[in-house]
Amino acid sequence: MELAYYPGCTVKSTAKNFEISAIASAKVLDIEFIELPRWTCCGTVFSLASDDVMHQVAPIRNLLRVQEMKKDRVVTLCSMCYNTLKRSNLLVKKNKEVLDKINNYMYEEPEKYQAGVEVVHFLEVLDQDVGFEKIKQFVKKPLKGLKVVPYYGCTLLRPRDVGIDDAESPTIMEKLLKALGAEVINDPMKTECCGAYHTVERKHIIKERTYKIISSAVARGGEALVLSCPLCDYNLDKFQMDVAREHPGFHPIPVFYFTQLMALAFGLDESALGLEYNYTDPKPLLLEKNLLGAGSE
Amino acid sequence: MRTILSSKLTKKEFIEKVEEISGQNVFACYHCGKCSAGCPIVSEMDLLPNQVIRYVQLGLQDEVLNSKSIWMCASCYTCTVRCPKDVDLAKIMEALRVLKLRQNIDMSRVRDLPSEDLESLPPIALVSAFRKYTP
């Protein structure tokens, strides 16, 4: 299966591990990601002001690229890109005046955007196009004994009309991780905000969120956090050492992208996991569980 | 915190502008407090989320636009998803931020950050911060 793929800025820089492991594990499932030509930053956040059309141009232009590829679906890895692209798309589908304004603004483009593209997140593709039962068949190295805590954050689930699962009690990542053989721990803080863009100017907020979210996961027996957003990943992983210094009882745990665990469970070589990009070193935990080293393809 | 209420201070045009930009009926809120209960950044705020919308209902433009709360908001949408009256408080917060930013005021302090910080930040963090804090 070929899918138009929108990477977004961060998987090409600080979140390379996300893309490397996603492309590799998708290949195992016979899914090929075709990157959009000439894509640009989607804008990261969906503009919430109803009179702001300018900030919708960036996401819509990217969807126009999908249309130019003669594809009607585009998959993203980054939760924030998913949220922004999907909400802009919904806006122009419902509001023809805004769509016309944007098309008129993009007058230099050879085509007009027809609002016919569907935006999906990779987890939705795994659920609906592949199915978790089928994914089980590709697992060569079940993540036995690995206690994982799925963490969704905000943009994958909210607002409700773009959420890929229930906003308060999602289970899609839990189903994937169970199919990979891991022991999944439910944590009520799985839908809590990581602090998002406050990481730029107000790191104390991020450290406080890290302390709360990671401590909650560890208190429930979690050995690793699993997520889907490069901003959540940076926020919840990078500052764990700082938080440990400030809170003596704090126990740091590795943070994985769900695609890294998929690649691991599919028995792919370590080079497909991108573990060197993780901030809190995940290797000690994986070695302890006998998931690294011998037995990989 | 002492707030003086008087019909002289209520700015009706402000309420109308907020409703126009947010597309929300601010008077639909009946102050159940679920938004404030779920807000992850509430410890950093001077006005609680439900107080923000109350102030808007009362037309207290200066108090709201000068509050810390609207800048502490992380646009996480927890409030909107939980509101029993379907009031999109996240959009109201954005309308308030935008009313301030459109006075050509830059709320970002990125220039004060050390360069090592800026180099390690993921693009997603910088772009979203710029989108929320600059006009």
Side-chain angles (χ1 to χ4, degrees), chain A residues 193-207 209 231 234-235 239, chain B residues 40-41 44-45 68-75 97 109 113 121 125 128-129 132-133:
Chain A
C193 178
C194 70
Y197 41 81
H198 286 308
T199 195
V200 177
E201 295 179 24
R202 293 176 181 91
K203 289 195 170 46
H204 67 281
I205 293 182
I206 305 304
K207 289 182 192 168
R209 300 309 295 158
L231 188 51
Y234 180 81
N235 284 349
F239 301 103
Chain B
I41 312 285
E44 301 285 320
M45 294 183 166
K68 262 176 77 187
S69 303
I70 61 179
W71 306 106
M72 293 298 117
C73 170
S75 307
R97 283 191 291 267
R109 300 172 319 198
L113 282 177
L121 278 168
S128 49
K132 293 287 175 180
Y133 290 94

Side-chain angles (χ1 to χ4, degrees), chain A residues 50-51 87 158 198 201, chain B residues 21 72 76-77 102 109:
Chain A
S50 63
D51 56 353
R87 294 181 77 182
R158 300 190 283 267
H198 286 308
E201 295 179 24
Chain B
I21 298 176
M72 293 298 117
C76 76
Y77 256 71
R102 286 180 188 177
R109 300 172 319 198

Side-chain angles (χ1 to χ4, degrees), chain A residues 1-2 38 69 80-81 95 149 171 184 186 238 243 292:
Chain A
M1 173 169 62
E2 273 182 9
R38 295 189 299 139
M69 284 167 85
M80 274 181 100
C81 295
N95 193 326
V149 177
T171 55
V184 179
N186 184 32
K238 177 127 175 132
V243 176
L292 268 190

Side-chain angles (χ1 to χ4, degrees), chain A residues 54-290:
Chain A
M54 196 61 217
H55 287 116
Q56 310 298 347
V57 175
I60 297 301
R61 199 195 294 270
N62 284 302
L63 297 177
L64 178 60
R65 299 282 169 260
V66 178
Q67 184 183 292
E68 286 168 0
M69 284 167 85
K70 306 274 187 280
K71 298 253 183 238
D72 54 12
R73 269 212 307 175
V74 62
V75 68
T76 72
L77 296 172
C78 167
S79 309
M80 274 181 100
C81 295
Y82 166 74
N83 192 284
T84 304
L85 290 174
K86 184 134 189 174
R87 294 181 77 182
S88 292
N89 202 23
L90 273 177
L91 174 68
V92 300
K93 279 188 192 199
K94 283 189 203 154
N95 193 326
K96 184 143 195 321
E97 197 188 317
V98 170
L99 177 60
D100 287 342
K101 262 197 195 149
I102 297 176
N103 275 326
N104 288 339
Y105 181 81
M106 300 194 298
Y107 68 93
E108 288 178 350
E109 301 284 350
E111 280 177 43
K112 282 191 196 286
Y113 181 55
Q114 305 295 333
V117 173
E118 197 198 330
V119 179
V120 291
H121 186 270
F122 190 33
L123 281 169
E124 292 183 289
V125 173
L126 294 174
D127 182 20
Q128 288 155 27
D129 294 79
V130 183
F132 297 122
E133 280 305 307
K134 187 158 170 228
I135 287 178
K136 266 192 203 160
Q137 297 165 21
F138 292 92
V139 174
K140 297 218 164 59
K141 200 192 300 181
L143 305 177
K144 201 152 166 282
L146 187 65
K147 298 196 177 89
V148 293
V149 177
Y151 172 79
Y152 296 81
C154 310
T155 48
L156 213 49
L157 305 172
R158 300 190 283 267
R160 288 186 199 272
D161 52 358
V162 300
I164 66 168
D165 200 346
D166 186 78
E168 302 284 5
S169 306
T171 55
I172 190 170
M173 242 199 282
E174 180 185 285
K175 289 185 196 146
L176 170 66
L177 294 167
K178 279 198 173 139
L180 300 178
E183 189 184 322
V184 179
I185 295 186
N186 184 32
D187 180 0
M189 292 200 90
K190 65 187 174 207
T191 59
E192 284 279 317
C193 178
C194 70
Y197 41 81
H198 286 308
T199 195
V200 177
E201 295 179 24
R202 293 176 181 91
K203 289 195 170 46
H204 67 281
I205 293 182
I206 305 304
K207 289 182 192 168
E208 197 248 342
R209 300 309 295 158
T210 301
Y211 174 61
K212 287 220 162 91
I213 293 169
I214 300 289
S215 299
S216 175
V218 170
R220 284 168 174 76
E223 294 170 327
L225 207 73
V226 186
L227 41 72
S228 168
C229 171
L231 188 51
C232 292
D233 180 79
Y234 180 81
N235 284 349
L236 295 175
D237 197 357
K238 177 127 175 132
F239 301 103
Q240 288 198 40
M241 285 295 125
D242 289 343
V243 176
R245 270 191 287 272
E246 287 165 30
H247 296 267
F250 179 76
H251 177 66
I253 54 171
V255 177
F256 292 103
Y257 290 106
F258 69 93
T259 50
Q260 289 182 300
L261 292 183
M262 270 176 77
L264 184 64
F266 289 168
L268 299 179
D269 182 72
E270 219 177 293
S271 60
L273 302 175
L275 297 176
E276 65 273 23
Y277 291 99
N278 290 37
Y279 298 104
T280 303
D281 191 0
K283 288 195 190 172
L285 176 68
L286 296 176
L287 285 167
E288 184 199 312
K289 304 283 170 177
N290 284 321

